[in-house]
Amino acid sequence: MFELKTYQKNTLTALNQFLQSCRSVPISDAFHAMLATQNRSGERYQPVFDDVPCVCLRIPTGGGKTVLAAHAVALAGKAVLDSDSPIALWLTPSDTIRSQTLDALSNARHPYRQALAHYFGDRVQVCDLESLQTISPHDVGKACIVVVATIQSFNVTDTAKRNVYSFFEELAPHFDNLPANLTANLEKVTEADLQNQRYLTAADIGRVKYSLANWLHLRQPVVIVDEAHNNRTDRFFKTLGRLNPSCVVELTATPVAGNNVLYHVSAQELKAEQMIKLPIVLAEHPEGWRECLRDAVLTRDGLELTAQKETDYIRPIVLVQAAPKGNEATVDVVRQHLIEQENIPENQIAVATGSQKELEGINLFERSCQIRYVITVEALKEGWDCSFAYVLASLQSVRSAKDVEQLLGRVLRMPYAKQRQQDALNKAYAHIVAENFAEAAATLKDRMVQNMGFERLETGALIIPQQPLPLTGGQGGSTPIAPVIPDCHIEVPQMPDTQHWPEEIKAAVQIRVTTQGATILLKGNVDSDTLAQAEAFISKTLPEKARIAVKEQFDAHRAVRQALRAPAQLGLNFALIPQLCLQLDGYLEIVEKETLSSIGDWDLLDQPVQLAGFTIRESINSFEIDVNGQQVKYRHIDAQQLKLNDVVSHVSEQDLVRWLDLEVRKPYVSQLQLQAYLLKMLSHLIHDRGLTLTTLVRARFQLAQAVSREIERLRQLAMEKGFQGRLFEMSVPPADSSVYYSFEFQAGMYPARQCYQGSYEFSKHFYPVIHDLREKTGAGKTAEEFQCAQAIDAHPMVKQWVRNIERQEKFSFWLPTSSDYFYPDFVAELTDGRVLAVEYKGEPYKTNDDSREKKQVGDRWEKSSDGRCLFMFAVAEDESGRTVFQQLAEKLI
């Protein structure tokens, strides 16, 4: 099966936790609790249906949202319906996407179908609305059924005019013997139906309609909505309401007002997981389209030479966006120019427009394929994808170019979803007709935010100017060449009053009058203090709205400077960071989670069998499960639909043990030990607690969760005891062997979220962006962690540093604790070769148990390193009244 990336696992974990929480707390509370774990505030849950969770997963272009949707089917089925055979309705925005999705989900070798098979095995049926009638009542509850349809198939005011709402006698077996409470909300036959379906008579008026829509209504489908931003109308929600969804999971790159964004993924996360090429190297061409096309050809030629050094086959392709008819650079003109002026063979050029479809039937990944240039005008057809596309040449003016962001998205996908050995092949390239870099970059950034799902704060570092020379003498080199910083262009709505400006600011600034006001130019290499002063004087006399726009332009320029000057961008390396190790069975091992399991010796069967906090209260048609004070309620209709009393007749204790074994299996517990424990647990619940087997089968999903938590609790107790007992045996390996037991920050491997963009210009951060660092608090004060970052950046002994990212064990430095890992907030390489880890704690947390354990581990890491590692536990003001600047200075003496 396709191995999920870290950001995909995190997305699904967030969805699963949210849906499970919705069973015991109000949906809005569950939503805001999940946002709090992401440091997001100010967003409110907007209910669509009273008791139905409806959330959106925001995945940028190239992030693989469809495979996430396939996984979401199973997770939602369990979390919301307590079913391992759910019905899912998968809604697509167009018939083209519907056909592609249906084919992929039906193909046993496709990653989408394999995602379903991971949970359901061969118990999967995929169909469209036309073939849904072939599903028999015996299939329901035995297999996961995925119905793929377009939104338009359902989206109608008059239901008599859509087949999905029509009466089909073939569906009659699905409606046999339904209790009255289930038929009350089903659509009935009306006079309008008689006009469209002649075999119905007046006697049928008022009957339950044997329709596909009613069939779905009965099954409470998990609804997956692809490209959810396209559907935010009242009619769409009324349509969904007819189908009685159990939950709605929307996926899009570009959510709009009304989408409840539960989780969003950043571009840096996609880059770190090798899904996309970044940054985008942008070259502006004020001269016109011919020069733009010429340089795109030269860029592609250079990339093809570079690609010959790769072990995988790559043939870089240029996407050329020609101008519409009536302009100069039309498709035919561009094609002839490539052939006659650039000497490109005809068989290397393909045209893909509405009338010319020269890519149909061609596999661009084949070695025998010669195509290197694809000419289009607007968007390429839906679903078109070729990761060999590296260069975009937009020959239309950047301000008027339509669909340029869709074509830009086509050049971002990484070949084979794997970082390339040659750094030039890890980037995308864009040649744009524009007056200057600032104009071209600003336009592309706006399009990337509006239409590709990128965050505005991260776009500053995503687009960098083309450099005249490589920034280093070789990959990983140590002699960087100073980058060429583009000039800063600031657009203002009025001519600024410079009368009271200092002379040094006047000397640094050029002002050009424009029809919209004025353009203020500063040289790209101006120092940060002059840049900050210029911003202050320019903003001083402007109205509030204009000041905000000026700040955004200055912030964007600083982000470009930061990106170009970052050591990782210059090809420099970060020092290796030794990790804590332990001798186990005669071998030295890094203390990882698996190591923690083995040092806490325990046997599950030696533990007392209990399930505290797990109770079930039953009534005639429903029941309520209480797990640690959180009540999971089942409506009366649920109990009727699930027919759980019938289930017990053929489910034995051994059957339930086998089912639980699959649900709660742990890598650190053998299957024999787990099954024996589960038998003891069932015996305890039935004989000691008085719960019936019927009741436990009915509540099996909550039972599995409770048992899983209990096993984890017992393991945690053993780990804490084992960890504390062996903490002082842990040590950093000697310098001559630490290369094998070290972590290394690598260029391009930094999955930052909520990137820093402020007025202070950091000069030593290793990566082009800084993860989740805020300059001001909500009250407008300077944030304490920001002050800590300033202290590190300003200290003369700090060579470079990284804002460490929590819960990213592949990409961040961590130290072990008794329960998990902890990730120091900052990691710095010092000028003398030592490394420093800084854990910052605010006043409420500096003395709690978690902080004490982190300090113990950090101190052990430092003391066992023979002077190579330093650990600092920083606070805003320590017991001696020292600031964080003074604490750092004292540590680095």
Side-chain angles (χ1 to χ4, degrees), residues 157 270 274 314 758 856:
T157 302
L270 301 190
Q274 306 175 37
I314 296 174
Q856 277 185 326

Side-chain angles (χ1 to χ4, degrees), residues 96 100 349-364 369 371 374-375 380-382 384:
T96 300
Q100 292 171 351
I349 304 170
V351 175
T353 64
S355 57
Q356 293 175 270
K357 299 178 171 58
E358 296 176 4
L359 287 177
E360 288 199 355
I362 293 178
N363 183 354
L364 291 170
C369 179
I371 293 173
V374 175
I375 306 174
L380 289 165
K381 71 175 184 178
E382 293 171 319
W384 188 92

Side-chain angles (χ1 to χ4, degrees), residues 510-638:
Q510 295 180 36
I511 301 176
R512 298 175 184 169
V513 178
T514 67
T515 54
Q516 287 82 30
T519 298
I520 301 172
L521 278 76
L522 290 94
K523 290 297 182 183
N525 59 358
V526 68
D527 65 83
S528 57
D529 288 341
T530 302
L531 194 69
Q533 290 180 51
E535 179 181 359
F537 281 105
I538 292 168
S539 300
K540 193 172 184 178
T541 58
L542 294 175
E544 177 65 23
K545 186 176 180 181
R547 284 202 297 271
I548 293 172
V550 165
K551 183 182 186 309
E552 288 178 352
Q553 293 175 74
F554 271 103
D555 285 349
H557 180 70
R558 288 189 185 95
V560 171
R561 284 160 58 114
Q562 171 91 22
L564 287 172
R565 292 170 173 170
Q569 189 71 39
L570 296 173
L572 301 180
N573 296 323
F574 202 97
L576 294 177
I577 307 166
Q579 296 192 282
L580 270 178
C581 296
L582 187 64
Q583 286 282 347
L584 288 174
D585 299 325
Y587 294 94
L588 193 64
E589 290 187 19
I590 295 174
V591 185
E592 299 176 319
K593 289 177 183 176
E594 293 75 14
T595 318
L596 293 175
S597 297
S598 62
I599 64 176
D601 292 332
W602 70 300
D603 188 322
L604 192 55
L605 296 175
D606 291 340
Q607 310 302 316
V609 176
Q610 62 173 11
L611 209 55
F614 181 82
T615 58
I616 300 176
R617 289 179 290 276
E618 298 192 71
S619 62
I620 295 173
N621 291 322
S622 64
F623 59 100
E624 184 176 284
I625 303 171
D626 194 316
V627 182
N628 295 328
Q630 292 193 330
Q631 286 139 15
V632 179
K633 298 179 180 179
Y634 291 76
R635 295 173 293 175
H636 286 242
I637 190 171
D638 293 327

Side-chain angles (χ1 to χ4, degrees), residues 34 168 267 296 327 356 379 385 396 532 551 815 822-823 836 848:
M34 189 52 59
F168 289 103
N327 293 276
Q356 293 175 270
D385 186 21
Q396 304 176 25
K551 183 182 186 309
L815 289 167
F822 102 83
Y823 301 78
L836 165 72
N848 64 13

